[in-house]
Every structure is written in structure tokens, then in C-alpha cells.
Amino acid sequence: MMSPGMVFPAKRTTAQANTPDAETPANNRTTAQQLLPVQQYASEVAEFLRTHKSASVVIIVSDTGSGKTTQIPQILTDKIFDDYFGGPKRKIAVTQPRRVAAVSVATRVAQEFGCKLGEEVGYSVRFDDMSNPQTKIKYMTDGMLVREAQTAWMLEEYNMIILDEVHERSLHTDVLLALTKKASVRRRKFFDRQDKEACAPLKILLMSATMDIERMRTFWKDAPVLYIPGKTFPVTIKYMPAPVDDYTHTAMVAVFQIHREEDPGDILVFLTGQEEIEEMVRRCRQVAKSLPPQQANIQFVPLYAGLTNEAQMRAVSQTAASAHNGHATMRKVIISTNVAETSITIPGVKYVIDSGRAKHKVFTSATGMEVLKVEKISQAQAWQRTGRAGREQAGVCYRLYTEADFNCWPQHPIPEILRCNLSTVLLQVVEMGIEKPLAFPFFDRPEEENLQAAVDQLEWLGALTQKVESGDLVVETTADGKLMAQFPVDPKYARCILRARAHRCTEELLTIVAMLSSDSPFINPAASRTAAAAAHEKFSSNEGDHVVLLNVWRAFRDQKKGNVKASRAWASQNYINLRNLERAEKVRNQLREVCVRKKIDLSSCGGNTTAVRRSLSEGLFMSAAERLPDGSYITVDTRQTVFLHPASCLFKTKPACVVYGTLIRTAKLYVRELCLVEADWIDAVGKEYFLAMRQRMAEKLAGKTTSAAVVAEKGETSDAMEVDGKNADSVI
Ligand SMILES: Nc1ncnc2c1ncn2[C@@H]1O[C@H](COP(=O)(O)OP(=O)(O)OP(=O)(O)O)[C@@H](O)[C@H]1O
């Protein structure tokens, strides 16, 4: 709907748009760039910003694929904007909710800009920075910008922050919405006090194809909106005539039907999670083996957040094999989670298959549990997925749900901030000097109970103290909390590293936390599962999955003393993914740097893995489960029934007490990344916590407090891994 302040420029032709004048950004773009709607309206963008020069925030909305992410930042580097920015200095941060988008878009824009990646155009994602002080356009994950804000919350380094894909309402984007609002007010004050050199005003630009414009405008007090019309290429939408029971099976049928019947063009399939994707890739490869020779030109590539940067980039870039040059070519099928949902262009993709589902975090403050669940997506997300087709040519999107179903979905996703454990982000916010986190101007305020739960958790972890002053909750980070905030990991793992000082095993904990922050080091090829399992057996441990990771790391490190060739041979013999280990090594080096910088004692326990488990127990005591006499497991704090995940090395040994890294709900509530601990250890650090939690649960049961579920557990939550395959012979 049109709203006041929204500009609909008159349709322009390419020729008009490219007429150079002093008011129009210089046009040295390629023809492909010039054809993009955003480039055709470059002079309107300039006019819009000039008109609203004094506004700290502006909004640009245009269709998916029209050129917001790649073109707007480039246009803004033009010298005609010197006046707008208050001088020639230009540094623009463009945030993305996901790593793969930040890296792939930066790579593309560097090419278009004609520079080496990491120079004028760069990126910064967790554990990987390709930028330098001269970088003008820095694509970065929203999480990285929040991290930078920890040391400079006014973001003085930047003239402009572009919050891209703002519709997605990722946790960090929401923090940045509030933070940039505060920073822009403060910087304006500095500027007006003539401190112009020190701090230019901060400009904020919000972009998306599918944002809730009215709400954004309200939050920003009537921010002006520029709507850029125009599409790149049409995308035909096809719905299912009736609901499907098993979307992975239906997706597979659709893939092979497209391959058989439709024109060349790559296929992007949206599923929900790593296991489901790997399983579909495996089954597809199996089916592909029995295709007639003339149809054998098909390859399957997984894409999910846990893959290394390199593996992700391979999935999203056009390989020589899948280049469509007019001849019968290899058809690439990318099977992805929602990491490919926004911003990125995967060259060659003509068909999108959308399962209509994604794995979301759901947090219940009553139990303190954050669980990953498969849920239906929102309409905005469905449109973003559709938008991955039609970027280089006309496309088709197959929606594996009915139109009637789609029409009932919410328009926008539930913001992550309302559905996740807030402790990590709260620690960052407090470290920025925000002492009253409950009064932080969140775009959508998390329930007070949820915020309080996060503050409590951080207090239990020893990261902060809290007190009530004049009716406000005031928090202060402890010395340990300040250190914990330095590590780019969940505070509970930062606490494990800090506890390792007392047990003299910081080196080992750095390894484990780095390995947990990277993808699995194990390879399990379908064709040689038994051989792989036998090879992995030598790293096994009856102390838990963390010690297994440590064993792999130690074997890897010993191998590294030999030469590269020997290292490769070792990895291949042992079904180990060397790349993932190398990534873990990089992460480890960064964590170690934090220790060196902060003078955290670095010690090793050698073979004494009890020290390692003890450190883990002291960081993860809030995630502990114990065995009951009947062999089942419950969580120690809130007495929830859980199941040990079959992939854990402790699945068969059924220990009396464990701490765990993740909870995942499929048909059952599973705990994963298990470590064997003594009940006494967790009691020693968590006794008061357990008492408090049990008391709280008892009060709730007695109905003394109100309901605490943060998000109503709504929508279908079945996980495809648990659903029996149903026949769907033709879906398109
Ligand atoms: N890596 C790439 N390879 C080929 N073409 C690309 C690539 N990246 C971008 N493009 C082209 O640039 C166009 C604009 O992409 P861009 O990401 O800037 O659009 P957008 O408006 O930000 O889309 P979205 O809202 O989906 O993020 C794409 O439609 C595509 O034609």
C-alpha cells in the first residue's frame, strides 16, 4: 500500500537513465548492470537522498533481483554524494543476515567495481575478514557489526549503515535497528556541536523487497521511502493442487521431473536442515545413477550454514560444468536451507522448489530451552525464495503447498528476537555500555520475562550482576563477563574457556570450542559407510563427543608435523574433512589471540581429559541431563524428558549424567554434543541455579505465575526425516 513519503518515480527508459549530467551518478556500468531497475533509477536515488539530506534514516524498497544489494552501495560511492555525506570520505557497511550472502555479494561487487576483493570492496564475517582501512563498501554479517559496536557503539568508522534484508528481522538486525537509532542521535549531537571532524552524521538506509514498511516508518518517525519499480525477469508460480505429506519426497520427484521435461537451467531446492539435505543429496545421487545416459547430466550440491566458506562459495558460484552455453549441459541442483533465501544470486538458477518450511529457533523462557523446530515460513520468506529465480532469465517457482495454504500464512516472519535465547546478544549490548537492557529501544520488545531470563542466565554464568535502582533493572558486567564478551562464541562456551584456567586446560578448550564452531570433521560417504565408521572408531571415546573432537584435532596436529602430502593421505585414509579442520584451526587461532590479548593463561592438561570435562561441565551446567532408573533421561534443571541423539558416541553407553551442546526437536526432543560428567561437578557450580529453576517450575505448576511461553508453538512442526515417504509421481 502506498504511504505518505513514499516516492513512486515515473517509469524511465534505459536511455533516459543513462544520460550523464552533474546530478546523476557517473555511469561506467556494464550493460547487464544498466538494465537493472536500480541502475535505471540511479538519478532518482540521488534526488531522493538530496531531498532527504537531513533525515538520518531512509528506506528503499524494490523487487527481488532489482539491484538493491549490489548496485545501491556502488552508486553511493559516486562523488555527487560528497555533499550528502558531508565530504568525500566514504565508508559504507552493508549488513546481511547470512555469511554466504555477505561473501558472495562482496565478490560480485568487487568484480563490478573493478577492484580486488578486500580493497575498495570487501567483507567481514565471523572468523574471516577481507577488508582493509581503505575499504569503501564493506559487506558484513549483521552479527559482525554488532560485535564491532561492542568497542565503538557509535560506529564512527562508517558514514552509512545499510541494513539489508531488514524484513527478515534477524536477531542482530533488530539489535542494529535500535543501536543505529541511538548512534545517529548521538552523532548528530556531536556534529551540531561543531565536532565535525571527529564524527560525521550517521546515515542509515533500510532495504528489502518485502519489509513491513508501515511499521518501519513508525519506528523511525516517518522515514521517507523510495519505491523503485520494475522487475528483472518474470517468475511463474506453480502451487500444489493438494497438500503433500512428505515434502522431501515431493521435492525429489519435482527435481527429476524438471530435469526430464523442462528446458536447461539449474534448480534451487529449499529444505530445512543439514541432515535432511544430506539425505536428499544422497538419495538423489542414487536415483541419478539409474537415469538413461542422455539424462545423466545432473549433479547435486548441498548448501547450509555449517559448511565452510569455501564449500558454500562452490555451491553458489557457477561451475564450468553447469555453465549453460546453448548445448546439452550439466544441470546443477542446489539443495539448501534458508541460507540461500535472501540477497544471493546463484548464476544459472532458473527453477526454485520451495518446501515452504524452515528450521526456526523456539525459546521457552519457562524452561530456558532454545529448540530448533521445523515450521512453515511466512509469505515474505516465500517471496524471497521465489525471487532467487528470475534473476538472469525468466524462471519458475514450484511451491510444494497449496495456494489456499499460502494465503493463510503470516505476512512476515516472527522476529528472531522473540523466539530465541537472548543471553549472547544481551551480553554484547551490555558491553556497549547499555546498563539498562530492559529499557533498550527494541523494535519489537521481547517479553520482559524472556529478557529477565537472559539476564539471569548471564548472572548464573558469572558474566554480570543485576540490581534494581529506582525501579529499573541495572546490570553490570563482571571482570569475567568482560572477558567472555571478547570471544565470538556463545557465553556458555566462553565460560568453559575461562573455567579451563582453573583446570589448566585452556589449550584443549580452545580446540573444542573452535571445532564446535566449525563444520564436522567427519566424512561419511554413502558408498563406504562401514569403512568410514571403522576409521572413525579410533577417535572414539567413552567420555563424550567433545573428547572425540579433541582426539581428531590431536591426530591432525601430529600429522601436520609431517608434510602436506602426508596430511592429505591421513585425512583420506581416516575419512576426515581436512578443509573443515583447517577452518577449525583458523578459528582456534583467533580464539587464542583473544587469550593472548587479554592475558588469559594458556595451559595444557595433556592426557588428563577429566580436566577438560570438568571445564565443560562448569560452562554447560545449565544444559545437563541425567538418567532415571528406567533408563530415560530428563534435564537436571526443569525435568524435561529428552533423548540422547543416536549420532553421539555416548548413545550406547547411556551414562548417568551428561552436559549437552544442542537440543533438537524432530519427532522427539534430542540432546546432542554430549559430554560425560559427574553429577557432583554440576552440583558444585549449579546447585543454586537448579534450586531456583525447580522452585520456579513448581510455582508455575501451581499456577502462581503467568504463562511464559515466548512463542506459541504454532504451525506444523513435523520434520521430514521422521515422515514416511508418500507417493507423488508428478508434481509439476
Ligand atoms: N553472482 C552473480 N552472478 C550473476 N548475476 C548476478 C550476481 N549477483 C547479482 N547478479 C545480477 O544482479 C541482479 C541484482 O542483484 P541484487 O542482489 O543487487 O538484487 P536485490 O535487489 O538486492 O535482490 P534481493 O532483494 O533478492 O536481495 C540479479 O538479479 C542478477 O541479475
Side-chain angles (χ1 to χ4, degrees), residues 63-70 108 165 343 345 347 388 391-392:
D63 208 354
T64 51
S66 59
K68 296 178 293 302
T69 311
T70 56
R108 167 77 177 190
E165 308 303 352
S343 275
T345 300
R388 296 316 106 194
R391 296 174 88 82
E392 295 176 307

Side-chain angles (χ1 to χ4, degrees), residues 85 88-93 131-138 156-161 202:
F85 285 112
K89 180 194 165 259
R90 206 69 35 93
K91 186 142 193 170
I92 302 170
S131 68
N132 68 28
Q134 277 70 50
T135 299
K136 292 185 172 148
I137 306 173
K138 186 157 131 190
E156 295 90 337
E157 198 185 326
Y158 304 99
N159 308 69
M160 180 178 251
I161 307 289
L202 176 65

Side-chain angles (χ1 to χ4, degrees), residues 76 107 323 538 625 632:
L76 289 169
T107 310
K538 68 168 79 68
S632 65

